[in-house]
Amino acid sequence: MRITQGCFSFLPDLDEVQISKQVEYCLENEWAIGIEYTYDPHPRNTYWEMWGNPMFDLRDPKGVMMELDDCRKAHGDAYIRINAFSDERGVESVKMSFIVNRPADEPKIHMQRTDFESRSQKYAWDVRA
Amino acid sequence: MDDATVPQTVDLAKEYEASGVAEVLRELDEELIGLEPVKRRIRETAALLLVDKARRDLGLEVETPTLHMSFTGNPGTGKTTVAMKMAGLLHRLGYVRKGHLVHVTRDDLVGQYIGHTAPKTKEVLKKAMGGVLFIDEAYYLYRPDNERDYGQEAIEILLQVMENNRDDLVVIMAGYADRMDRFFSANPGFRSRIAHHIEFPDYTDDELARIAETMLGQQNYHFDSAGKTAMTEYIALRRQQPHFANARSIRNALDRARLRAANRMFQTKGVLDAAALSTICEADIRASRVFTGGLDSDRRSPQ
């Protein structure tokens, strides 16, 4: 099942040139860029593993693309996303986030209904292969 | 490429004007005093790059030229200033995408413990992508006396990026001529990857005097005629003393002269006009220790 979160996730996957252009847009806005990856795409899993520190003061998307290549080499079968942080509110807050790498076989997100007191139901989701 | 879209002829003069290169070269001529051999080399390089660009526009095979450079010369001869102009020049010619200059020294590239160097060097390289990486006093990267020095690691990463990312950044290494020569002979990889070796000559006394006047002019000060003579003598004397750093020494001398001038004005009673407030006179220059044989610390014999 295709995981949809962040920007562009209902579109076909971005290619290298398109990713590069999106990063360029972020850099033009003076946002810092962070690369993160995870093997657990559960929607409640907010904090993904960081691939190195977020990159500040870059001028050209090439630096980000180099890191992305390295991350893909190491974690080609993981979800990888690019986060752009803006500091205009005095904290580094995420302004934009998009997935740039998916595993060949994406897992399913399965919903589990459980009966609870007095006919109420509880729902839970888990990620399954 | 489709034949219809390829122009058949090229007008170099027009390209030259359109690229904005002329403007950078004009700035170079106007703002930098002296440095004739440097200007000549830059003009030649610009011509080569422009011709290459024209060839590419006509659809002829062009390999990306190696643009990494080394600037050698004594302190204060304008290496950093020229590097900044170079970044602008390469940007206008379309050889670097952004045209910014990242100025680093050994401390910015080499880490302090195992595993610290590679991320540090890479971070600097990422920042320099699309622009020019200026490594000041590059020979400090290599310490032959300590074989476990982390500088070697930084050198290896640099070499790799200089080779693989020739389209993305230009590396300029700068430093004193003799030490750079030793650095290059110990690291033949660098010598072969750097195509342009540009030497910065020392300024002549005459050029330094003109530089002094320009510097003062930029701060809205000027010499009176006796002050000008004193400055000329100062330059000749200062050159023979230790730690002479060309234009930088002149800037420091002028800063101290302004200090003395301010003191002098403070002590004169009465009203001063704008002209008096912006004149550096003979006494302000003559008070320098250079006229009495240099700094005390330089004269005293080591204990």
Side-chain angles (χ1 to χ4, degrees):
Chain A
M1 199 178 86
R2 190 180 167 87
I3 301 290
T4 51
Q5 48 174 291
C7 311
F8 318 128
S9 58
F10 287 95
L11 298 174
D13 287 344
L14 301 182
D15 65 23
E16 293 298 286
V17 179
Q18 289 167 329
I19 295 171
S20 189
K21 285 211 172 129
Q22 293 299 341
V23 173
E24 174 103 50
Y25 169 78
C26 298
L27 295 179
E28 271 167 23
N29 285 301
E30 297 180 0
W31 296 340
I33 308 280
I35 295 178
E36 295 178 348
Y37 66 95
T38 190
Y39 290 93
D40 172 20
H42 193 285
R44 287 293 175 95
N45 175 22
T46 319
Y47 301 112
W48 294 18
E49 315 286 335
M50 291 167 76
W51 178 259
N53 293 329
M55 290 166 266
F56 295 92
D57 305 326
L58 258 52
R59 296 285 295 270
D60 190 83
K62 183 70 191 179
V64 175
M65 299 312 281
M66 279 163 67
E67 284 295 329
L68 178 59
D69 285 343
D70 287 349
C71 185
R72 274 186 177 147
K73 243 175 246 163
H75 301 283
D77 223 25
Y79 287 92
I80 303 176
R81 72 181 174 197
I82 286 180
N83 290 339
F85 302 96
S86 160
D87 62 358
E88 69 192 315
R89 287 171 192 275
V91 290
E92 294 287 345
S93 54
V94 177
K95 262 287 165 80
M96 182 167 158
S97 171
F98 55 101
I99 295 177
V100 289
N101 195 68
R102 301 164 176 278
D105 276 326
E106 294 198 52
K108 271 202 255 333
I109 292 182
H110 173 261
M111 188 186 73
Q112 181 72 50
R113 272 193 207 88
T114 320
D115 280 324
F116 198 54
E117 300 169 343
S118 60
R119 285 187 62 76
S120 67
Q121 288 197 331
K122 291 217 158 186
Y123 299 89
W125 288 265
D126 60 296
V127 175
R128 291 183 181 181
Chain B
M1 228 194 283
D2 190 5
D3 270 0
T5 62
V6 178
Q8 296 301 307
T9 56
V10 64
D11 184 350
L12 273 182
K14 215 160 145 197
E15 290 272 322
Y16 179 70
E17 279 304 322
S19 62
V21 173
E23 203 181 311
V24 179
L25 292 180
R26 216 175 295 131
E27 266 177 40
L28 206 69
D29 266 340
E30 280 165 14
E31 289 173 22
L32 297 182
I33 292 165
L35 295 178
E36 275 318 315
V38 176
K39 288 179 188 164
R40 198 166 50 237
R41 276 302 295 272
I42 291 177
R43 238 174 273 131
E44 285 167 5
T45 314
L48 169 75
L49 295 181
L50 202 65
V51 169
D52 262 11
K53 188 165 172 271
R55 283 169 58 92
R56 201 172 47 205
D57 292 346
L58 286 184
L60 293 167
E61 257 332 284
V62 186
E63 211 178 291
T64 312
T66 309
L67 289 169
H68 306 309
M69 293 173 218
S70 92
F71 288 179
T72 52
N74 287 325
T77 43
K79 296 187 288 288
T80 315
T81 318
V82 172
M84 236 135 37
K85 296 260 181 262
M86 203 53 148
L89 191 72
L90 293 173
H91 178 51
R92 307 237 171 139
L93 283 166
Y95 283 91
V96 292
R97 288 188 296 269
K98 297 290 188 290
H100 61 293
L101 183 87
V102 177
H103 186 146
V104 297
T105 55
R106 180 191 156 94
D107 286 354
D108 302 295
L109 295 169
V110 179
Q112 292 174 356
Y113 43 84
I114 292 180
H116 189 204
T117 303
K120 222 174 156 180
T121 306
K122 277 200 189 130
E123 190 171 330
V124 167
L125 285 169
K126 278 186 277 178
K127 282 180 194 166
M129 283 293 159
V132 171
L133 178 65
F134 183 76
I135 307 177
D136 211 354
E137 304 190 88
Y139 35 78
Y140 283 131
L141 286 176
Y142 176 68
R143 295 239 168 108
D145 44 316
N146 182 359
E147 62 182 33
R148 277 187 293 182
D149 184 62
Y150 301 134
Q152 195 60 38
E153 205 182 334
I155 289 177
E156 277 158 28
I157 296 173
L158 271 175
L159 282 175
Q160 199 191 337
V161 169
M162 280 165 78
E163 190 61 35
N164 298 342
N165 297 71
R166 269 186 296 170
D167 299 347
D168 300 312
L169 92 162
V170 170
V171 177
I172 299 181
M173 301 191 151
Y176 309 144
D178 51 335
R179 292 214 203 165
M180 283 305 266
D181 279 344
R182 243 176 297 145
F183 174 68
F184 284 133
S185 53
N187 298 278
F190 276 125
R191 186 175 277 289
S192 59
R193 280 175 182 83
I194 291 179
H196 308 275
H197 294 263
I198 301 182
E199 274 173 43
F200 286 64
D202 278 346
Y203 290 111
T204 62
D205 288 0
D206 189 37
E207 283 162 357
L208 283 176
R210 269 160 61 209
I211 288 170
E213 275 184 70
T214 318
M215 279 178 178
L216 277 188
Q218 279 162 1
Q219 297 165 355
N220 274 321
Y221 274 90
H222 57 82
F223 288 121
D224 62 5
S225 63
K228 203 167 162 181
T229 324
M231 194 64 205
T232 320
E233 280 171 45
Y234 175 92
I235 291 166
L237 282 171
R238 181 68 188 86
R239 186 184 288 281
Q240 289 148 21
Q241 287 167 10
H243 311 301
F244 174 64
N246 286 291
R248 201 171 301 145
S249 292
I250 301 303
R251 191 176 58 205
N252 293 343
L254 291 179
D255 282 347
R256 287 190 296 268
R258 279 198 299 145
L259 197 87
R260 286 185 213 109
N263 252 323
R264 169 175 55 81
M265 289 166 207
F266 218 77
Q267 279 156 12
T268 45
K269 302 277 181 288
V271 191
L272 292 165
D273 59 359
L277 277 177
S278 55
T279 306
I280 301 283
C281 72
E282 190 181 3
D284 304 329
I285 308 281
R286 294 267 179 213
S288 165
R289 270 175 296 198
V290 167
F291 288 102
T292 56
L295 287 174
D296 294 344
S297 60
D298 291 333
R299 258 181 309 173
R300 214 184 300 138
S301 57
Q303 288 164 357

